[in-house]
Amino acid sequence: MDDAQRRLIFALDVDSFEDARGWVEKLQGQVGAFKVGKQLFTRCGPDVVRMIRDHGVDVFLDLKYHDIPNTVAMAGLEALKLGVWMFNVHALGGAEMMAKLVEQVDKVCPRGTEGRPLLIAVTILTSSTDATLQAIGIERPVAEMVPRLAKLAQQAGMDGVVASPQEVGLIRQACGRDFAIVTPGVRPADASLDDQKRVMTPGEALRYGADYLVIGRPISAAPDPAAAAAAILAEMRGALQA
């Protein structure tokens, strides 16, 4: 598996175990990890994570924990036991919540230990705009909130963040190079935006400094998903070699 494949995460936004397994079997040689989100995990539970791992592929558990510090920390330990490669929390849960998670994971699996998952904080959802934030009482714009939350996550000991590709440069300025950035909201130029608002093409996202790209519908909704994945990987390789 080459560098582009390792950086590509396929979003398993399906509603059944059988559909999930079908996509894993179809794409396991092309992508570095599969994202399991709320819908699939609520329907299938930990069994779907175990199935993906049994196929020898990494899992990004995308449940976006956001609760009191101890509850999030205990949920994180359960994710650790499942053997996921990466899982996330909401940075808006605050520094104490994130630091508590890091503290508890460190006790069981210290940083640098094989099998320790990447602890990632979601900044602002890619479906949100400045108007979305204002409606819930956050007066600062997205472009200010994202690097602010990324810095907060870094100070709490998190390994990286989830953010729109449009904010990758701002995060790099705030947090440096050794901080993982996972970017949904990535769409090939000819793809539908669906419910995403702040998007870039795969090549653009990598050139701006993203580490991992989460892509779902541009592959799953394509007439030929394998060809769509191959085209995305080709664009990614070109950006990485530039």
Side-chain angles (χ1 to χ4, degrees):
M1 184 168 289
D2 65 21
D3 191 28
Q5 291 170 315
R6 282 190 290 271
R7 291 168 179 260
L8 179 57
I9 302 170
F10 179 71
L12 277 174
D13 295 331
V14 297
D15 61 4
S16 75
F17 189 94
E18 292 73 22
D19 283 348
R21 181 165 54 198
W23 282 111
V24 171
E25 291 173 352
K26 187 178 299 184
L27 296 175
Q28 66 182 91
Q30 290 184 275
V31 305
F34 290 91
K35 180 180 79 70
V36 174
K38 291 182 176 69
Q39 180 185 15
L40 185 59
F41 194 82
T42 301
R43 175 73 180 269
C44 302
D47 285 347
V48 75
V49 174
R50 297 188 184 103
M51 177 273 291
I52 297 167
R53 295 194 64 243
D54 286 345
H55 279 79
V57 192
D58 287 332
V59 176
F60 168 24
L61 187 62
D62 178 31
L63 300 184
K64 301 181 181 72
Y65 301 129
H66 186 170
D67 213 308
I68 63 173
N70 189 67
T71 297
V72 168
M74 294 304 102
L77 292 180
E78 295 303 322
L80 172 63
K81 292 174 187 176
L82 274 177
V84 302
W85 162 66
M86 177 194 296
F87 70 89
N88 58 13
V89 306
H90 266 295
L92 286 167
E96 182 184 355
M97 184 197 78
M98 291 186 284
K100 182 70 171 180
L101 169 67
V102 173
E103 174 192 346
Q104 292 301 313
V105 171
D106 279 347
K107 288 180 180 179
V108 178
C109 192
R111 196 176 299 273
T113 302
E114 185 177 356
R116 177 191 170 95
L118 290 172
L119 310 182
I120 304 294
V122 177
T123 54
I124 299 297
L125 297 173
T126 54
S127 59
S128 296
T129 63
D130 291 349
T132 308
L133 298 187
Q134 290 168 8
I136 60 172
I138 299 176
E139 297 299 328
R140 299 176 186 275
V142 169
E144 185 175 339
M145 284 300 300
V146 169
R148 180 189 183 108
L149 290 169
K151 192 66 179 177
L152 190 70
Q154 185 179 48
Q155 291 168 346
M158 301 292 285
D159 298 304
V161 290
V162 177
S164 154
Q166 294 187 8
E167 286 85 52
V168 168
L170 298 172
I171 296 168
R172 286 281 171 245
Q173 291 175 16
C175 301
R177 189 65 191 85
D178 296 326
F179 193 62
I181 303 178
V182 182
T183 56
V186 177
R187 293 285 188 274
D190 59 350
S192 166
L193 297 184
D194 300 306
D195 54 359
Q196 307 286 358
K197 298 294 195 302
R198 307 187 326 276
V199 302
M200 278 188 184
T201 67
E204 289 171 337
L206 290 177
R207 283 190 289 271
Y208 272 83
D211 292 298
Y212 302 101
L213 310 184
V214 179
I215 301 179
R217 280 169 286 192
I219 296 174
S220 63
D224 186 340
I232 288 168
L233 286 166
E235 181 179 341
M236 292 172 66
R237 291 183 183 111
L240 291 169
Q241 292 168 4

